[in-house]
Every structure is written in C-alpha cells, then in structure tokens.
Amino acid sequence: MKFKLFINPNSQEIVEATVHRKSDFSIQLEQFVLSNGNSNIIPAYDDKDLIMLNLETIMMFTIIENKLFAICNNKQYHIRKRLYQIEEILPTNFWRINKSTIINRFYIHEFKETKTSGVNVIMKNGLSDYVSRRCFSKIRKELN
C-alpha cells in the first residue's frame, strides 16, 4: 500500500483511494472521510472497528486509564483524540465539568451537593462525576 499527501492551499481538497475491491476497511475509510465535514458526527472505535457516533447520542466524554472514551448509555467507545481537541469542536450543549470529563447537558438528571460542600452531577443513566468549583461557577452563570 502506498500513501501520498499533496498540500496545496490553492486547490480543492480531494481524498482519492484506489483499491482492488471494496472491503470493510475501504467502507470505513469512506465513512470517515465523508463525515469529517459533518460536525455532528465523530469517529470512534468499538474495539478495533471504526464507527461514527452522532453527538446527540453521547452522554459524556471522559478519560479512563489515560484514554479518552465517549459514553453512550452504558457503552464506551474509544476516541483517538485528546480531550481539549474534542472540546474545541463540540457544540454549546457540552459542558466541561472537571479536568477529565465533558458532559452533554441534555443528559443531566440532577446536581447533588456532597458532604464536603462539593457538587456531583448525576446523569440520566445513573453515572455520576464530581464538578470542580471553577466549572460549576461557569455552569451556574450559564443556567441563570
């Protein structure tokens, strides 16, 4: 297999692949290239398979064992980007709640105060995570 990349700022972007036959890989590559311009879809991995996740179905992005995962209901999908890179492309309904988690505000069940005067967020699927004071003040301003 050969790979060539030509960078010309004056020309239109074209991704061209020449294959012997259509395969799972070529289908996944086509889906990836075609969805890259769509801001509502993000590439993720279910084990080794590339799938496209719709942002509306994602409850949260969180870091587990130094890897970024998107959580949809109770299923985890690996995202091969950094959290700050994902944060830059997300719509305004996603809120950062601490250094390692971004949540979709449409899946919030409630905010609950802890015994140590902190705040936890509880999602509709039962998952919970702490909200840092700095992030909670930003969220409170947005809610008011």
Side-chain angles (χ1 to χ4, degrees):
M1 184 182 295
K2 293 182 182 179
F3 177 77
K4 294 180 182 179
L5 176 66
F6 301 103
I7 299 175
N8 184 351
N10 299 326
S11 68
Q12 181 182 0
E13 287 186 0
I14 299 172
V15 176
E16 187 175 304
T18 305
V19 295
H20 297 287
R21 60 180 163 66
K22 201 162 194 157
S23 65
D24 289 339
F25 175 74
S26 64
I27 293 169
Q28 291 173 354
L29 180 63
E30 179 183 20
Q31 290 173 346
F32 174 74
V33 170
L34 293 176
S35 70
N36 201 20
N38 187 346
S39 62
N40 288 333
I41 296 177
I42 189 165
Y45 294 87
D46 183 14
D47 294 323
K48 301 257 181 211
D49 298 327
L50 174 67
I51 60 168
M52 304 317 251
L53 290 179
N54 192 330
L55 289 178
E56 295 171 2
T57 64
I58 298 174
M59 296 183 123
M60 68 172 47
F61 292 95
T62 190
I63 296 173
I64 303 170
E65 297 177 5
N66 294 324
K67 293 181 181 178
L68 180 61
F69 289 92
I71 298 176
C72 304
N73 292 322
N74 289 322
K75 189 144 172 83
Q76 298 176 357
Y77 299 96
H78 182 236
I79 307 292
R80 292 186 179 170
K81 289 188 177 185
R82 299 280 187 196
L83 192 62
Y84 74 88
Q85 293 171 319
I86 293 296
E87 187 176 23
E88 291 172 356
I89 62 170
L90 291 174
T92 57
N93 60 303
F94 283 88
W95 291 337
R96 187 162 201 149
I97 60 166
N98 57 46
K99 284 185 177 183
S100 61
T101 305
I102 299 173
I103 60 170
N104 186 340
R105 69 185 266 182
F106 298 129
Y107 288 97
I108 295 173
H109 177 64
E110 66 178 332
F111 289 103
K112 197 167 195 172
E113 196 171 326
T114 64
K115 293 177 183 176
T116 59
S117 69
V119 175
N120 283 346
V121 64
I122 299 173
M123 305 302 284
K124 289 183 178 177
N125 68 348
L127 290 176
S128 69
D129 203 349
Y130 76 96
V131 182
S132 72
R133 282 186 233 146
R134 179 181 299 155
C135 293
F136 190 64
S137 68
K138 290 179 185 177
I139 291 170
R140 235 182 19 215
K141 286 178 185 174
E142 195 168 322
L143 288 174
N144 290 336

